[in-house]
Amino acid sequence: MTGAAVASDGSGGGRRAAGKVRGVTRRRLPIGIQTFRKIREGGFYYVDKTAFARQLIEEGTHYFLSRPRRFGKSLFLDTLKELFEGNEPLFRGLAIHPDWDWSKRHPVVRLSFGSGDFRTDGLAEVAEARLEEIEEDLGVAGRPGLASERFRRLLRALHRETGERVVVLVDEYDKPILDALREPEVARRNRDFLRGLYSVVKDADAHVRFSFFTGVSRFSKVSVFSGLNNLTDLTLEPPYSSLCGYTEADLDEVFAPELAGLDRERVREWYNGYRWRGPERVYNPFGILLLFRQREFRAHWFETGSPSFLVETLAERGLGPLDLETMIGEEALLSRFDVDDIGAEALLFQTGYLTIAGEVEAGDKRLFRLGYPNREVRQSLSAELLRVLGADPSRQGARELRLRELLAADDFAGMEELFRGVFEAIPYEWHTKSPVARYEGYYASVVYAFFASLGLDIRVEESGRRGRVDLAVLAPGRVLLFEFKVVEEGPTGAALGQLRAKGYAEKYRSRGEPIHLIGVEFSRKTRNLAAFEVERA
């Protein structure tokens, strides 16, 4: 199910000139717009998702969808709102228009926790205030009381007064919990409150025509939805994998005027790659729209959020950049997310920093191999992880520039000097206090993170005929193959010796580029390089 370029008349904005490209009218970019009516009436591009809406409504009643931030969840909910309210003119030309009964209109309760700071107590008051606003908007007489009871009365009253069952749309259902994860007691109270609030939807099922919950995280049904256990979870259902996000076909059919002048392969490399078990990968809408506006390849999506909680959680568990390249988990592991039990795989996957890279059948289990979705995330998160690995963030830009220069010049002596300086600058106190420095592979992770932060094509533990090389860096015009060892665990020279003995270079001969074997050995005693040996393969 892909989109079609359908929008009302409107003019281009910002630095983009209005006009036509290959016979297609250039329209306005819907950056950050979550209101369906505004898009349809304002002359914005719109990727038609209404075929998904039709299929969901025909197949069932209660749904849940988890997607990372800025993926179009709120816009889809608003589309459902306008659809059930019967606002027919907005849907002319869209997939659902011929098949919908526009004479029937349902009352819609849309509850959002997208705004507000829930790190302190006060969720109950916020929920009651939101319900009071909904009562006023819908003309229903309400009265003060517990939010769950107020919610129940609202659904019953709307059904009685309109004669039609109610549509319930809940956006950012999990934000009150996520906001408070650093204050576990508050997070638990918020979770328990929401469990009681959301259970109303099941208890009032006779009054509910349809419900849809969205959020970033996929909290276990036991923790949040125990009272609403009839939800159908769409998160990993292949037919709905592109319900949010843009496919390649969407870019071709809807955004063709914006692609002119952009290197399409580079667009894919930077922004495509998210996958939820469907047949195709999708783009994050926010990132690709900012590319179209600014015409610059930057970490547009990454820069809009702070991964500090994620990075600190990984550090506490001794997980570094190399570990993120080789994560494998079963479906239950990807959904294991609760205040007291946040699985690292679930945290990385649900927040959008890792995505499904492949599936493996292991007996009666299906395992998922995780990986970075694209260059934007790998490059940006690697740079962020250098901070918790002890590297001085104030010198990061200068070091990245220097590493690029050394790569271009094949200056491996300079490269060794650079990394010695990085490790030397990490304070002794950091090693004694940080749990990151205690896990195996810490030093190799620093080297990896520096190369990954340059946006290079990097392969970790890539299999060859005779084994797996620790790290392959496919830099412009050259291939660097790294093997890492700790000198206290083996003889000096073992790293380079293994690169030679295993013939790792053979796999890369067909590229026709110079191949350099680099044996890197670290010393736990000196907390620095013990050897950095290089030879041309």
Side-chain angles (χ1 to χ4, degrees):
M1 300 180 186
T2 57
V6 186
S8 304
D9 289 339
S11 60
R15 293 181 290 173
R16 301 166 54 259
K20 290 189 176 183
V21 176
R22 296 178 184 174
V24 181
T25 301
R26 172 166 277 183
R27 301 189 180 277
R28 301 167 72 185
L29 295 168
I31 299 172
I33 299 178
Q34 303 173 358
T35 307
F36 181 70
R37 178 179 293 275
K38 185 174 182 179
I39 289 177
R40 297 293 287 150
E41 293 180 344
F44 293 90
Y45 290 108
Y46 174 66
V47 173
D48 187 0
K49 300 289 186 179
T50 62
F52 287 114
R54 178 182 57 205
Q55 186 169 331
L56 288 169
I57 294 165
E58 290 173 353
E59 291 179 349
T61 303
H62 302 292
Y63 294 100
F64 167 77
L65 178 72
S66 165
R67 285 294 185 269
R69 58 187 171 82
R70 295 189 175 273
F71 245 92
K73 303 183 296 295
S74 299
L75 176 59
F76 185 72
L77 280 192
D78 200 62
T79 305
L80 291 171
K81 171 185 175 294
E82 298 288 355
L83 182 63
F84 277 107
E85 288 179 344
N87 295 314
E88 182 266 342
L90 300 178
F91 292 86
R92 291 173 185 169
L94 300 184
I96 200 169
H97 187 269
D99 305 317
W100 190 255
D101 182 358
W102 298 104
S103 65
K104 181 173 289 189
R105 299 191 174 194
H106 291 270
V108 177
V109 172
R110 182 172 180 185
L111 185 61
S112 174
F113 291 103
S115 61
D117 186 345
F118 300 97
R119 288 176 293 181
T120 58
D121 288 326
L123 174 58
E125 290 78 6
V126 171
E128 289 166 17
R130 302 270 164 90
L131 288 169
E132 183 178 1
E133 291 172 0
I134 294 171
E135 290 168 347
E136 292 175 356
D137 290 342
L138 297 177
V140 174
R143 63 177 185 270
L146 293 175
S148 57
E149 286 304 313
R150 194 165 194 163
F151 191 18
R152 193 188 318 275
R153 288 196 301 267
L154 174 62
L155 297 179
R156 187 170 59 246
L158 285 170
H159 188 191
R160 182 177 62 248
E161 293 178 14
T162 65
E164 295 289 348
R165 288 182 295 161
V166 185
V167 172
V168 178
L169 307 174
V170 181
D171 199 9
E172 304 278 8
Y173 90 98
D174 53 346
K175 187 174 181 293
I177 309 173
L178 297 179
D179 279 0
L181 283 177
R182 286 194 177 90
E183 291 83 28
E185 285 301 320
V186 177
R188 292 187 197 100
R189 284 195 292 272
N190 288 352
R191 176 198 61 193
D192 296 342
F193 173 85
L194 292 174
R195 180 192 298 143
L197 183 67
Y198 298 151
S199 67
V200 170
V201 177
K202 182 180 180 181
D203 293 342
D205 188 59
H207 306 293
V208 177
R209 165 66 181 88
F210 182 88
S211 71
F212 203 101
F213 290 74
T214 73
V216 169
S217 61
R218 202 173 163 216
F219 277 87
S220 66
K221 290 185 179 181
V222 174
S223 68
V224 179
F225 293 124
S226 59
L228 187 55
N229 55 13
N230 56 341
L231 280 177
T232 297
D233 186 353
L234 303 173
T235 303
L236 290 179
E237 287 203 3
Y240 296 100
S241 62
S242 59
L243 189 153
C244 291
Y246 298 156
T247 65
E248 287 283 358
D250 293 332
L251 262 62
D252 288 332
E253 297 170 13
V254 180
F255 297 103
E258 307 303 325
L259 291 169
L262 293 173
D263 182 334
R264 189 61 179 274
E265 282 304 316
R266 198 175 179 203
V267 172
R268 293 189 185 100
E269 175 196 356
W270 265 87
Y271 303 110
N272 196 13
Y274 292 93
R275 181 172 175 262
W276 287 273
R277 298 195 60 222
E280 53 195 340
R281 298 177 180 274
V282 299
Y283 293 84
N284 171 274
F286 187 78
I288 197 70
L289 290 175
L290 278 179
L291 169 69
F292 291 154
R293 178 182 180 179
Q294 298 180 10
R295 319 301 288 184
E296 293 179 354
F297 290 89
R298 290 177 45 196
H300 299 296
W301 172 79
F302 191 93
E303 292 170 356
T304 62
S306 171
S308 56
F309 176 78
L310 167 72
V311 170
E312 290 165 13
T313 300
L314 295 176
E316 290 168 2
R317 300 183 184 187
L319 294 170
L322 285 170
D323 299 297
L324 272 56
E325 288 275 7
T326 56
M327 279 192 165
I328 295 178
E330 55 186 292
E331 183 172 349
L333 205 58
L334 299 187
S335 61
R336 198 185 76 203
F337 196 101
D338 199 4
V339 176
D340 304 304
D341 184 20
I342 302 176
E345 294 87 351
L347 180 61
L348 287 157
F349 172 65
Q350 294 176 26
T351 53
Y353 294 103
L354 292 184
T355 195
I356 294 176
E359 299 182 28
V360 180
E361 297 290 340
D364 59 350
K365 288 186 177 181
R366 177 183 287 108
L367 301 180
F368 298 101
R369 182 167 51 83
L370 301 181
Y372 290 110
N374 49 44
R375 174 173 172 175
E376 175 189 13
V377 178
R378 172 189 256 162
Q379 181 172 327
S380 302
L381 186 58
S382 295
E384 185 71 20
L385 286 169
L386 280 170
R387 176 177 60 81
V388 297
L389 291 172
D392 182 358
S394 67
R395 302 176 63 184
Q396 178 65 11
R399 284 169 169 163
E400 288 182 6
L401 180 60
R402 178 61 176 155
L403 185 54
R404 285 187 186 279
E405 294 170 346
L406 294 170
L407 268 173
D410 287 336
D411 186 349
F412 297 105
M415 196 178 297
E416 177 182 359
E417 181 182 356
L418 173 67
F419 283 115
R420 285 190 182 277
V422 169
F423 289 115
E424 187 67 32
I426 297 174
Y428 170 80
E429 293 78 11
W430 184 90
H431 285 277
T432 59
K433 294 178 181 178
S434 174
V436 185
R438 299 175 199 140
Y439 71 80
E440 186 177 355
Y442 158 68
Y443 297 98
S445 286
V446 173
V447 175
Y448 163 90
F450 265 98
F451 282 107
S453 68
L454 300 184
L456 300 174
D457 186 355
I458 292 178
R459 317 286 173 84
V460 174
E461 294 189 1
E462 190 169 49
S463 297
R465 187 170 55 87
R466 300 175 62 185
R468 297 181 176 181
V469 65
D470 283 347
L471 177 65
V473 177
L474 309 184
R478 56 190 55 78
V479 176
L480 278 59
L481 303 180
F482 287 85
E483 188 69 27
F484 302 107
K485 300 289 184 185
V486 176
V487 292
E488 285 85 358
E489 297 177 355
T492 301
L496 186 60
Q498 181 169 328
L499 286 165
R500 292 196 203 103
K502 295 290 186 179
Y504 291 140
E506 298 308 313
K507 180 172 183 174
Y508 304 93
R509 297 282 185 205
S510 60
R511 297 176 62 89
E513 299 171 336
I515 300 173
H516 302 275
L517 308 180
I518 307 176
V520 184
E521 298 178 1
F522 305 101
S523 169
R524 291 198 184 101
K525 184 181 295 185
T526 65
R527 298 188 176 93
N528 211 317
L529 299 179
F532 193 93
E533 300 180 294
V534 183
E535 72 175 39
R536 178 83 172 262

